[in-house]
Amino acid sequence: MTEGPTPTAAPERAAQLPAQSPPVDPAQTAAAVDKVAAPGRISWWRGDGGEGARRNLGLIGVLAVLVVIGALTRSDLYSDPDWVWDNVLSILKLAAVVGVVTVGMTFVIIGGGIDLSVGAIVALAGVWCTTVATQSYGAGGMIFSALTVGLAVGLVNGLLISYGRLVPFIATLAMLVAARGLAAEISDKQTQVSDNGFINGLASNSLLGIPLLVYILAAVVAAGWVLLNRTTFGRRTVAVGGNPEAARLAGINVRRHTVLLYALSGLCCGIAAIMLTAQANSAQAAMANLYELDAIAAAIIGGTLLSGGRGTIIGSLLGVVIFATITNLFAINGLSTEAQNMVKGGIIVAAVLVQQVQFRSLTQFLGRNRLTTT
């Protein structure tokens, strides 16, 4: 017969248990948390959280310098407030088409790819939607045709890259040549005139004094910002671009997501084709020439890593506006095309250098001011 536990067993176990910590005063806990969190709030400007703000402020600084240069070189024009406002609208209209293309390009580059065919896709979609057969269906038919062509070509790019295992540079370069050739074949190397009043009015009409093309750009930028920053699609895009293998192990279908990224870029090209057709009231196979280079440069200037994994829509938009402002500045000063290209290259390098400035002195000032007030 087994003996039961001795009366001293329970006190011995109690003695072996760790002593309970004394009750914690909630007021002391809150004070400790604030003390620890304060340095984090002070240093956000120096850390990753303030990187986008620093970069965008640098780009805004470049825009301010360009405006000052314009005011100094053409003070006779900048002294007229009405002209200044009209010039701002002209710059925004100039940036609208490339801005829409850049939104799609930004997603592709963040996802670790590149798209050299965006200009050719714009040309193909513009030519296709201005054929006599397509225009017979009215504005709805033209818009549907442009969006469908852009989306379809983007899907082909994505399928070749994801499932055909082609390098993005090679696949999109081949599409650039093929799409330009198909556009020339469809248009018989002729300029196709748009007779649709609604489409043509997109470039000539305004709402509350602001051109409709600017509203389209704002809508695309807003949709792109929400998609990148507030949806699972955006988070997956960053993950795929940062580390495709880690994204695959995390359960993301990398191939399918890559196809969707190129389809999105093609869709943006379809929208841009309608906008560019409205501006010229026509379309041809040579339209949107070198748009791919402008879109890539604007995205890179805006802070998008060419290797993928990081980028912002707002930064890309600022990059596009910088390009448009440079072009406008050259135009009002009557500079030659050769001089424009040389100066533009120098300003691009300067913009990249400015966006890397960390504003350490301002950060230290804000930190000292925060510590003094607390």
Side-chain angles (χ1 to χ4, degrees):
M1 183 174 180
T2 60
E3 296 181 357
T6 61
T8 59
E12 289 178 356
R13 284 197 303 269
Q16 294 174 357
L17 293 176
Q20 295 183 354
S21 59
V24 179
D25 186 2
Q28 295 178 354
T29 302
V33 171
D34 290 340
K35 184 177 181 180
V36 173
R41 290 195 294 266
I42 295 171
S43 61
W44 77 271
W45 182 269
R46 292 193 299 264
D48 294 338
E51 184 178 358
R54 294 194 303 269
R55 185 184 307 113
N56 291 340
L57 279 179
L59 296 175
I60 293 174
V62 173
L63 283 174
V65 171
L66 293 176
V67 172
V68 171
I69 293 175
L72 292 176
T73 56
R74 293 304 305 269
S75 58
D76 56 328
L77 297 177
Y78 275 83
S79 61
D80 185 1
D82 293 333
W83 181 90
V84 172
W85 174 246
D86 293 338
N87 192 52
V88 170
L89 295 181
S90 298
I91 291 174
L92 293 178
K93 285 183 64 176
L94 184 64
V97 179
V98 179
V100 171
V101 175
T102 304
V103 170
M105 181 69 75
T106 301
F107 274 92
V108 171
I109 297 178
I110 293 176
I114 197 73
D115 193 350
L116 300 180
S117 65
V118 290
I121 297 176
V122 172
L124 179 59
V127 166
W128 204 306
C129 76
T130 53
T131 59
V132 175
T134 304
Q135 292 194 56
S136 64
Y137 291 96
M142 295 177 66
I143 294 174
F144 176 79
S145 175
L147 298 183
T148 302
V149 170
L151 181 63
V153 178
L155 282 173
V156 172
N157 279 335
L159 291 173
L160 289 175
I161 293 168
S162 296
Y163 295 94
R165 301 299 182 91
L166 293 181
V167 178
F169 182 89
I170 299 300
T172 56
L173 181 62
M175 183 58 70
L176 182 154
V177 178
R180 290 283 184 189
L182 182 57
E185 181 69 23
I186 293 174
S187 63
D188 196 21
K189 301 181 181 179
Q190 302 297 320
T191 299
Q192 298 182 163
V193 179
S194 171
D195 297 325
N196 189 277
F198 177 82
I199 297 296
N200 298 341
L202 293 177
S204 58
N205 295 334
S206 301
L207 178 63
L208 301 177
I210 300 177
L212 295 180
L213 292 181
V214 178
Y215 285 106
I216 297 175
L217 172 62
V220 173
V221 168
W225 186 89
V226 172
L227 187 62
L228 181 62
N229 297 281
R230 294 293 184 267
T231 65
T232 305
F233 183 87
R235 291 190 291 271
R236 290 179 177 177
T237 300
V238 175
V240 170
N243 192 328
E245 182 62 21
R248 185 187 67 82
L249 295 176
I252 299 176
N253 191 328
V254 176
R255 290 186 178 182
R256 183 178 63 186
H257 193 82
T258 301
V259 172
L260 293 178
L261 288 175
Y262 282 92
L264 177 61
S265 177
L267 183 62
C268 290
C269 291
I271 298 173
I274 293 294
M275 299 168 67
L276 192 57
T277 300
Q279 285 184 324
N281 292 341
S282 62
Q284 56 179 327
M287 67 190 296
N289 188 33
L290 297 181
Y291 271 32
E292 54 275 359
L293 299 183
D294 289 341
I296 293 172
I300 300 305
I301 287 176
T304 303
L305 285 180
L306 193 57
S307 58
R310 191 189 73 184
T312 64
I313 299 298
I314 300 301
S316 297
L317 176 63
L318 290 174
V320 174
V321 175
I322 287 176
F323 270 106
T325 304
I326 293 172
T327 302
N328 177 264
L329 181 62
F330 293 152
I332 64 177
N333 284 279
L335 297 178
S336 63
T337 304
E338 293 78 12
Q340 292 180 25
N341 292 335
M342 289 186 293
V343 176
K344 182 181 292 186
I347 295 180
I348 291 173
V349 174
V352 173
L353 294 176
V354 169
Q355 76 173 4
Q356 295 177 353
V357 175
Q358 301 297 320
F359 299 101
R360 296 187 183 276
S361 59
L362 179 58
T363 302
Q364 294 173 358
F365 170 77
L366 293 176
R368 289 196 300 269
N369 184 55
R370 173 67 180 177
L371 291 174
T372 302
T373 56
T374 55

